[in-house]
Amino acid sequence: MSRMENVLMVNSHLERNLIQRVSVGDMLTRTSQRFPNKVALVDEDVTLTYKELNEKVNQVARSLLQRGYQKGDVVALLCENTNEFVITYFACAKCGLVVMPLNIKLAFDDLAYQLNQSETKVLVFTQSSKDKVEILIDEVPSLQDLFMTEADEEFMLSGKNILPFSHLESGDDTEIEVIIEDRDTLQLMYTSGTTSKPKGVETSHLAIYFSAMSTALQYKLDHNDSSIVMLPLFHVGGLTCILLPNILVGGTNVLIRRYNASKILNTMEEYRTTWTMLSAPMWLEISDQPGLSAKDFSSMRLCVCAIATLPLARHQQVKSIFNNATIILISGQTEFTPPNTAQRPEHAISKSSAWGEPVVAQTAKAMDDDGNILPPGELGELVYRGPQSMTCYFKDPEATESAFKYGWFHSGDSGYIDEENVVWFVDRKKDIIKTGGENVASVEVELVVRSHAKVAECAAVGLPHERWSEAVTIFAKIKDGESVQENELIDFCKERLAGFKVPKKVVFMNEFPMTASGKIQKHELRNIYKDLYIIKA
């Protein structure tokens, strides 16, 4: 084949690809064409319309290609919820690079592991992570270019030249046209490791696009919507459950860098936001803030609660504050590009502790250990099918094969599907408490304790016990200004739980070990308090 024939073939492939493909970068391009002057992002004192955002994305994408980076190279983001995070994410989507959001709360060793395993070549970071980056530079030999978002000029760090992010935001802002295949990896995100090293989850353009579309449909989003994005963008909660579906429809995203209950409430009122998603503890803290009756939240039409359900009394309390809003629970896993399940509004009360139905492009079933699909109501492992699935675990074929066994994605969650196709979560398989020959769902105990008027948050954990094998133990954080005795909480549980489910002890906490997405790290509690029931000689 001649050189000319080869060029013509490549051009033909590109032309066909541009017509038919599913590319997350095209999501922003199309929205900017539909709503060029609509506000896309608010990031403190920076406001970007969709036209301005798209132009910056094109500049950064072109700058990365001009620096010699090629399809599949990894660009890591060690950033808070900033406009630069969003710009870099979509720039990678447009030019075929892989974006790897990093948890800014991770310890140095975990960051170094993820950067080295992924052979990251570019790192974009905010000033708050500068000290970590200074140490990482010597430990990650693959790093070639580093950009700090707040820098005004170049500077040296551990012998490495650090460039201002603004250097990428210059030059040609026309559209990038390169071949992006539907199943090309866009996102590499590491799950939290509890007993071993975290696993990298490779997610394709197609999976992420499907997630955004199904979420927009589930939430009934359009260009008139606006949302606070407070959950971290380095986690699927902030990224695929809030930001991307809002971008798809042309909604406005108000970025908040750090959790602060009063700031969230003030921002809701100031920007007349229509919806957002927060974790259950955040909704609880928000609903306890003073002066709420003087605020106007009439614009809020949807309050999404992530993962953990609200006790009925607290659900009603949140509803009384956001009285025009529907309150629903959603759930999901990084491996399946959340959300994966969402409550119907009519089930928010009648099936308040259920996870809801699978979203429109997914199927959920309960399966036994031999790969048999179980009938409605029968307990098993929750398994899923659908285009939102990860491609694989990064460099881990054995874990991938195990997760996809029997032709379904295995979630590691124990639960059942009812007669209305509603998913009921019982517990993580590893969090089931085996006590005195009985199995106790930690979630059931937590729902009871959390319903106590003086409890802010809690976690139920099984700890080693000579008699019971594992003893049901409650870790509780009490609301500010309140006090409660251990026996009061235990008696409260005795009135509402079977005897074998009642906690043997209550440990009062000032703070919990938490993940960046607001979930309590139970494995840390198990490790720290593993000797709680050991009788000293």
Side-chain angles (χ1 to χ4, degrees):
M1 182 182 297
S2 69
R3 184 174 182 275
M4 179 60 70
E5 288 174 326
N6 187 56
V7 169
L8 290 173
M9 181 178 293
V10 170
N11 288 340
S12 176
H13 185 192
L14 173 61
E15 290 170 356
R16 184 69 62 88
N17 178 262
L18 292 170
I19 295 168
Q20 298 177 334
R21 71 187 185 185
V22 176
S23 166
V24 172
D26 294 342
M27 179 193 299
L28 175 61
T29 302
R30 290 163 183 156
T31 301
S32 71
Q33 292 165 353
R34 299 200 319 275
F35 307 107
N37 300 318
K38 175 77 187 294
V39 173
L41 293 180
V42 178
D43 174 19
E44 297 186 343
D45 59 347
V46 175
T47 298
L48 296 174
T49 66
Y50 273 100
K51 181 176 183 294
E52 292 167 337
L53 174 60
N54 191 58
E55 288 172 348
K56 285 182 176 289
V57 166
N58 290 339
Q59 287 176 326
V60 173
R62 201 172 294 279
S63 294
L64 290 170
L65 290 178
Q66 288 171 350
R67 287 178 172 271
Y69 296 109
Q70 299 178 359
K71 185 174 183 177
D73 286 342
V74 175
V75 177
L77 294 170
L78 191 58
C79 298
E80 298 163 308
N81 286 7
T82 64
N83 70 89
E84 293 90 353
F85 183 111
V86 181
I87 290 167
T88 307
Y89 186 91
F90 278 99
C92 291
K94 288 197 178 195
C95 66
L97 302 180
V98 176
V99 61
M100 184 172 75
L102 292 167
N103 184 336
I104 61 174
K105 297 182 180 180
L106 286 179
F108 164 78
D109 287 346
D110 290 324
L111 290 170
Y113 172 78
Q114 294 178 23
L115 289 165
N116 280 316
Q117 194 198 37
S118 62
E119 300 178 65
T120 295
K121 293 188 176 181
V122 180
L123 176 62
V124 176
F125 65 99
T126 47
Q127 189 165 3
S128 59
S129 296
K130 181 180 174 182
D131 290 344
K132 289 181 180 178
V133 172
E134 185 173 13
I135 303 172
L136 286 167
I137 287 173
D138 292 332
E139 300 297 323
V140 186
S142 62
L143 285 175
Q144 295 180 20
D145 281 314
L146 295 94
F147 300 91
M148 194 171 87
T149 58
E150 299 92 339
D152 294 322
E153 56 186 20
E154 298 180 28
F155 66 95
M156 299 299 292
L157 193 65
S158 289
K160 195 82 172 178
N161 193 33
I162 309 300
L163 299 171
F165 183 82
S166 58
H167 278 203
L168 295 173
E169 297 177 312
S170 60
D172 188 356
D173 61 12
T174 58
E175 289 297 331
I176 296 284
E177 293 188 347
V178 298
I179 293 174
I180 306 287
E181 302 292 353
D182 300 355
R183 294 287 183 178
D184 282 349
T185 298
L186 167 58
Q187 183 175 291
L188 178 61
M189 191 175 284
Y190 280 75
T191 62
S192 55
T194 56
T195 59
S196 60
K197 288 290 187 183
K199 294 191 287 291
V201 176
E202 286 194 53
T203 309
S204 68
H205 283 259
L206 183 140
I208 294 166
Y209 215 124
F210 257 97
S211 172
M213 289 193 297
S214 67
T215 305
L217 182 61
Q218 196 78 43
Y219 297 165
K220 298 180 173 62
L221 300 180
D222 65 24
H223 65 281
N224 295 307
D225 280 302
S226 58
S227 178
I228 286 171
V229 185
M230 201 295 306
L231 293 182
L233 289 171
F234 57 72
H235 185 271
V236 287
L239 185 58
T240 68
C241 295
I242 309 177
L243 177 78
L244 294 182
N246 242 10
I247 294 283
L248 176 73
V249 300
T252 296
N253 299 273
V254 184
L255 306 180
I256 294 182
R257 300 188 180 193
R258 294 179 184 86
Y259 173 71
N260 179 284
S262 61
K263 182 174 183 178
I264 288 172
L265 291 167
N266 291 337
T267 304
M268 285 178 174
E269 189 175 35
E270 178 183 357
Y271 288 94
R272 305 291 294 161
T273 56
T274 59
W275 76 283
T276 195
M277 184 176 90
L278 300 169
S279 68
M282 291 173 184
W283 284 117
L284 295 179
E285 184 175 352
I286 279 176
S287 67
D288 288 333
Q289 294 300 299
L292 293 176
S293 60
K295 292 185 177 295
D296 179 8
F297 301 119
S298 58
S299 62
M300 287 289 290
R301 67 171 186 83
L302 180 65
C303 299
V304 182
C305 187
I307 302 296
T309 188
L310 293 170
L312 184 58
R314 303 306 298 274
H315 181 284
Q316 293 169 339
Q317 182 181 353
V318 174
K319 177 66 176 175
S320 70
I321 297 163
F322 304 100
N323 49 25
N324 290 337
T326 299
I327 303 170
I328 62 169
L329 172 71
I330 66 99
S331 188
Q333 288 181 269
T334 302
E335 290 90 336
F336 231 75
T337 325
N340 308 139
T341 60
Q343 281 180 339
R344 290 187 201 168
E346 61 266 31
H347 287 158
I349 300 298
S350 62
K351 297 185 177 185
S352 61
S353 56
W355 271 1
E357 292 180 315
V359 294
V360 293
Q362 292 189 27
T363 304
K365 297 291 182 182
M367 178 180 285
D368 67 17
D369 291 340
D370 296 320
N372 300 305
I373 298 299
L374 299 171
E378 196 164 328
L379 187 66
E381 182 181 11
L382 297 176
V383 294
Y384 297 92
R385 280 177 176 169
Q388 291 174 218
S389 171
M390 69 173 184
T391 304
C392 62
Y393 285 119
F394 184 63
K395 296 182 179 179
D396 197 340
E398 291 183 4
T400 302
E401 184 176 353
S402 177
F404 290 159
K405 192 175 182 181
Y406 302 122
W408 292 81
F409 170 72
H410 292 254
S411 69
D413 294 328
S414 179
Y416 62 93
I417 315 295
D418 72 12
E419 68 287 345
E420 291 187 281
N421 200 37
V422 171
V423 177
W424 293 78
F425 169 75
V426 174
D427 214 338
R428 289 293 290 170
K429 290 178 76 174
K430 63 187 178 186
D431 287 339
I432 293 284
I433 301 170
K434 300 176 187 286
T435 179
E438 302 282 358
N439 289 342
V440 175
S442 62
V443 173
E444 181 182 2
V445 182
E446 290 162 0
L447 281 173
V448 169
V449 176
R450 202 178 286 125
S451 68
H452 192 285
K454 297 180 180 180
V455 173
E457 185 54 285
C458 67
V461 171
L463 295 177
H465 193 285
E466 184 178 19
R467 177 180 177 186
W468 303 107
S469 180
E470 289 185 327
V472 179
T473 309
I474 274 289
F475 294 83
K477 180 181 178 181
I478 306 305
K479 292 180 181 178
D480 292 342
E482 300 284 2
S483 64
V484 63
Q485 299 299 311
E486 180 182 31
N487 64 322
E488 181 182 341
L489 278 183
I490 291 177
D491 289 343
F492 183 81
C493 292
K494 285 179 178 177
E495 295 173 1
R496 294 162 175 81
L497 292 169
F500 66 90
K501 299 179 181 179
V502 173
K504 299 293 188 289
K505 283 189 178 182
V506 177
V507 178
F508 293 102
M509 308 287 289
N510 292 322
E511 298 293 339
F512 284 101
M514 305 288 283
T515 68
S517 56
K519 291 187 283 188
I520 296 172
Q521 294 177 309
K522 291 186 179 181
H523 66 283
E524 292 286 350
L525 295 175
R526 290 190 196 97
N527 183 53
I528 295 169
Y529 292 92
K530 62 181 181 296
D531 297 333
L532 183 65
Y533 293 96
I534 292 178
I535 299 174
K536 307 279 189 204

